[in-house]
Amino acid sequence: MMRAEKVGLKLNGRNILRDIDCTVTPGRVTVVMGKNGAGKSTLLQIMAGQVTQGGAAGAVSVDGKAMQDIPSAELAGRRAVLAQSVQLGFPLPVAEVVELGCYARYHQMTARQRKSAVAQYLELLDITRLKNRSFPTLSGGEQKRVLLAKCLLQLDVENPDHKNNRYLLLDEPTAALDLEQQYRFVDLATRLARERGLGVLAVLHDLNLAARFADDLLFLRNGETVAAGPTTKVLTKTIIQETFNVDCLIQPHPCFNCPLITTLPYGKPNIAPALAP
Ligand SMILES: Nc1ncnc2c1ncn2[C@@H]1O[C@H](COP(=O)(O)OP(=O)(O)OP(=O)(O)O)[C@@H](O)[C@H]1O
């Protein structure tokens, strides 16, 4: 289990994040939600071990071990992070971007093994056709898939013989994706959790994607926890109102075994009476 306990961050006297507990469990998908500026990315960065400046509080552990005590090469094999945006300063081909996922194990792998691993993960993400393209020339959605391939290679998810749990941290993974790719991406992350036992933590903005795929939810507002727990318990009208300041209607989804949420911004009363909350 990856666990953040009472984590916080204070910058220039302002609490960006305060007293947050967050758990990522192998085999489960945890989704963090909240308005812009709520502190979601900051939490993800803290859980990734990427916040090292003063002002940080609390503790993060990975399977009972304090994160700061885990050597960086080992940590790279245990958790991978898909950042919200990535700027590559030089035009690396896609295959080389994916190969960066081997970095922590570079000298344990032959060039042939690295090449074969890159081919395997390009195939898993269905992007083999992009392998010789220059990364900066790809669309935002294509770049996201390349970077996910790199993360999955870093975690070596196709290898079933791992003794350690592995965690995938995704910051707004669906932001640049079209509708089909959003569902495919989240579906893949969920399958990786179910079938390979990965612990997945994802920041999402779409309530219905979260309702469908999240096992657990953490709602943040102004750097503080509004609610946390299993999706079936915390995905309520009151908590959505408190987090996003919008009214909503929650109904059984007509196609899937999950709720369907229709958000109703305040001040827009033109709702059919039958649907009025
Ligand atoms: N280095 C920094 N210096 C000052 N303020 C910062 C810094 N990094 C983040 N913040 C502030 O912390 C708050 C939380 O930022 P964060 O990126 O975690 O929000 P978020 O919930 O991920 O938002 P979004 O949905 O817009 O991505 C914001 O108000 C942001 O301006």
Side-chain angles (χ1 to χ4, degrees):
M1 210 175 266
M2 179 181 260
R3 179 170 279 171
E5 287 171 282
K6 302 267 171 253
V7 295
L9 182 68
K10 201 169 186 173
L11 292 177
N12 307 322
R14 182 181 154 223
N15 276 316
I16 304 290
L17 212 57
R18 210 157 70 98
D19 274 352
I20 308 292
D21 292 333
C22 179
T23 300
V24 189
T25 309
R28 290 176 77 85
V29 177
T30 300
V31 169
V32 185
M33 306 202 80
K35 293 210 274 190
N36 293 135
K40 305 178 296 295
S41 296
T42 305
L43 174 64
L44 196 116
Q45 285 159 16
I46 291 175
M47 295 196 71
Q50 293 171 340
V51 175
T52 49
Q53 71 255 55
V60 181
S61 60
V62 183
D63 298 316
K65 204 166 172 184
M67 184 170 263
Q68 70 270 17
D69 296 339
I70 302 176
S72 54
E74 185 186 331
L75 190 59
R78 287 188 175 211
R79 67 93 184 92
V81 187
L82 181 64
Q84 204 176 106
S85 64
V86 172
Q87 308 284 336
L88 278 191
F90 32 89
L92 275 186
V94 163
E96 287 183 34
V97 174
V98 176
E99 194 178 349
L100 292 173
C102 297
Y103 189 72
R105 295 177 283 138
Y106 201 82
H107 296 298
Q108 296 154 27
M109 297 172 83
T110 62
R112 198 194 181 103
Q113 284 171 326
R114 288 195 298 271
K115 197 171 171 198
S116 144
V118 167
Q120 186 178 17
Y121 287 89
L122 286 170
E123 190 64 39
L124 183 68
L125 271 291
D126 194 19
I127 48 173
T128 303
R129 71 200 146 76
L130 301 177
K131 71 175 179 186
N132 297 319
R133 289 272 305 274
S134 163
F135 181 81
T137 68
L138 301 182
S139 75
E142 289 168 340
Q143 290 189 352
K144 277 271 156 81
R145 286 157 76 192
V146 171
L147 294 170
L148 182 63
K150 173 187 149 284
C151 287
L152 299 182
L153 171 54
Q154 181 183 325
L155 296 177
D156 198 17
V157 294
E158 291 288 79
N159 178 356
D161 302 327
H162 269 280
K163 54 181 177 16
N164 291 323
N165 291 320
R166 285 155 298 161
Y167 301 92
L168 183 60
L169 311 182
L170 306 168
D171 196 351
E172 296 193 28
T174 55
L177 304 184
D178 63 45
L179 279 176
E180 185 196 355
Q181 288 302 333
Q182 286 183 27
Y183 274 89
R184 286 176 67 133
F185 197 102
V186 178
D187 188 52
L188 173 65
T190 311
R191 275 192 290 119
L192 289 167
R194 306 279 181 271
E195 293 166 15
R196 316 278 165 93
L198 244 61
V200 177
L201 178 69
V203 173
L204 291 181
H205 277 291
D206 185 328
L207 274 166
N208 282 304
L209 265 188
R212 188 160 152 208
F213 292 104
D215 298 301
D216 301 295
L217 285 169
L218 168 61
F219 287 99
L220 296 179
R221 181 171 179 143
N222 296 331
E224 297 189 11
T225 302
V226 176
T231 303
T232 45
K233 287 221 171 96
V234 296
L235 195 63
T236 67
K237 189 174 154 77
T238 312
I239 289 170
I240 291 170
Q241 276 172 342
E242 214 179 309
T243 307
F244 297 102
N245 202 30
V246 293
D247 207 345
C248 72
L249 186 68
I250 302 183
Q251 299 164 294
H253 198 294
C255 307
F256 304 111
N257 183 25
C258 67
L260 175 69
I261 299 134
T262 309
T263 49
L264 311 163
Y266 290 117
K268 300 238 177 194
N270 294 333
I271 310 158
L275 293 180

